[in-house]
Amino acid sequence: MKNDKRQTAGTIMALVGGTCWGFSGCCGQYLFEQKGIEAPWLVAVRLFFAGIILVLAGFKLHGRENLRVFRKKRDTIHLLAFAIFGITFCQFTYFMAIQASNAGTATVLQYLSPILILAVVCMRELRLPKGLELAAIGLSLFGTFVIGTHGDIHSFHITGEALFWGLLAAVSSMIYTIIPGGLILKYDIYQVLGFGMFFGGIAMGAVVQPWNYGVVWDAGTLGALAGVVVVGTAIAFGLYLQGVSMIGPLKGSIMGSVEPVSAVVISVFWLGTRFTLPDFLGFALILGAVFVLTFAHR
């Protein structure tokens, strides 16, 4: 009975954490559509302040040990590479995809990243995909085709810009997953992700110079920004990681797939985003590919 309660609590935490990620994407869409904010500004601000939140959480949990990632030069360089080419690139392409389309479409297209990771694994192992892996690849390709064309090869129902940034978000998400490698095994997530976001925010800020943007500061802007920075970072990661620690990585990865579903639902009911039946079919095919691949590698 006690284990059942733990499993239930962990499942709820993972689901809520994934939903918070979807909600943060919708907050970004709100800022783009309603407040005229641009993706580069949002990414610079989000990374910097989210990084500070996670770094402070790391110090609270581990004290001075939160700095041990900097004791080895090689790990420090690895962390900086992850900050720029992993986190910053991933966040930039994702929010650019939202700006070009909507939170639901961008999040679903980003979920093509496991298929790309599979391609990298197959190349490393010098083998071809097999069994359920082939099924996952087929589902993902067909899903992308349906989203883009609605089944009519003579028409395009998504802008080229949206498709470009959505697919690039999937590539960047793959890189974001692969780059940290051993860092995640050696150090705490708050050290790797916290300092990675913080340094990425500094680098992005130096290029974007967010202080030069004319942002309209009102309750809507502050609330949506808090949704991106606080809800989409501190709350989402905290709940999701705690949930995964209770139910295991397989169930956790499945529960995390609620992110694109929540992004679609929230964008429909909150932001009035319109999707058609072929859109939902394409979304289902891509998410189905993720589920198939998850079970293939369980």
Side-chain angles (χ1 to χ4, degrees):
M1 183 65 70
K2 185 176 180 181
N3 185 59
D4 289 341
K5 290 183 178 179
R6 178 181 174 85
Q7 288 287 315
T8 301
T11 299
I12 293 174
M13 287 182 179
L15 283 172
V16 175
T19 301
C20 287
W21 278 321
F23 174 70
S24 70
C26 292
C27 287
Q29 181 181 337
Y30 169 82
L31 291 171
F32 301 148
E33 294 179 350
Q34 305 295 327
K35 301 301 177 181
I37 287 175
E38 297 181 11
W41 181 92
L42 182 60
V43 173
V45 172
R46 192 249 175 134
L47 287 177
F48 181 77
F49 287 104
I52 289 177
I53 291 173
L54 292 179
V55 167
L56 290 177
F59 276 115
K60 183 177 180 179
L61 290 171
H62 306 291
R64 293 184 64 182
E65 283 297 301
N66 198 46
L67 295 172
R68 68 190 184 94
V69 68
F70 300 107
R71 292 174 184 171
K72 294 183 179 180
K73 183 179 179 180
R74 181 178 180 180
D75 289 344
T76 301
I77 295 174
H78 194 170
L79 176 63
L80 292 174
F82 174 56
I84 304 301
F85 302 107
I87 294 178
T88 304
F89 184 42
C90 182
Q91 290 291 299
F92 177 69
T93 55
Y94 172 62
F95 280 105
M96 286 297 294
I98 292 178
Q99 183 173 285
S101 56
N102 55 73
T105 301
T107 308
V108 171
L109 288 176
Q110 188 184 48
Y111 261 64
L112 289 166
S113 60
I115 305 300
L116 300 179
I117 294 173
L118 169 63
V120 173
V121 170
C122 288
M123 286 189 288
R124 283 180 175 176
E125 297 178 357
L126 299 176
R127 67 175 178 86
L128 294 174
K130 53 189 177 181
L132 291 177
E133 295 175 341
L134 283 173
I137 293 173
L139 286 172
S140 64
L141 292 176
F142 188 48
T144 306
F145 169 78
V146 171
I147 291 174
T149 67
H150 287 187
D152 182 1
I153 61 174
H154 300 293
S155 62
F156 219 59
H157 292 268
I158 185 174
T159 67
E161 181 185 8
L163 187 59
F164 169 79
W165 286 114
L167 294 178
L168 196 59
V171 173
S172 66
S173 183
M174 173 197 68
I175 297 172
Y176 166 83
T177 303
I178 292 175
I179 283 183
L183 285 180
I184 297 294
L185 299 177
K186 292 171 63 176
Y187 303 103
D188 189 271
I189 189 70
Y190 292 101
Q191 299 171 31
V192 178
L193 195 61
F195 284 113
M197 282 189 165
F198 178 69
F199 291 134
I202 291 176
M204 192 73 181
V207 175
V208 174
Q209 299 182 350
W211 51 86
N212 289 329
Y213 282 65
V215 177
V216 178
W217 292 102
D218 56 21
T221 302
L222 291 172
L225 191 59
V228 174
V229 175
V230 180
V231 176
T233 303
I235 296 177
F237 277 105
L239 287 174
Y240 181 74
L241 293 175
Q242 179 61 34
V244 170
S245 71
M246 297 167 70
I247 64 177
L250 175 59
K251 289 184 179 179
S253 64
I254 296 173
M255 295 303 106
S257 296
V258 75
E259 178 188 355
V261 177
S262 65
V264 170
V265 173
I266 294 171
S267 65
V268 168
F269 288 98
W270 176 29
L271 303 172
T273 305
R274 293 185 177 181
F275 297 107
T276 64
L277 183 59
D279 289 322
F280 287 115
L281 176 59
F283 297 162
L285 287 168
I286 290 176
L287 294 180
V290 174
F291 280 113
V292 169
L293 196 57
T294 299
F295 282 105
H297 293 165
R298 67 186 181 275

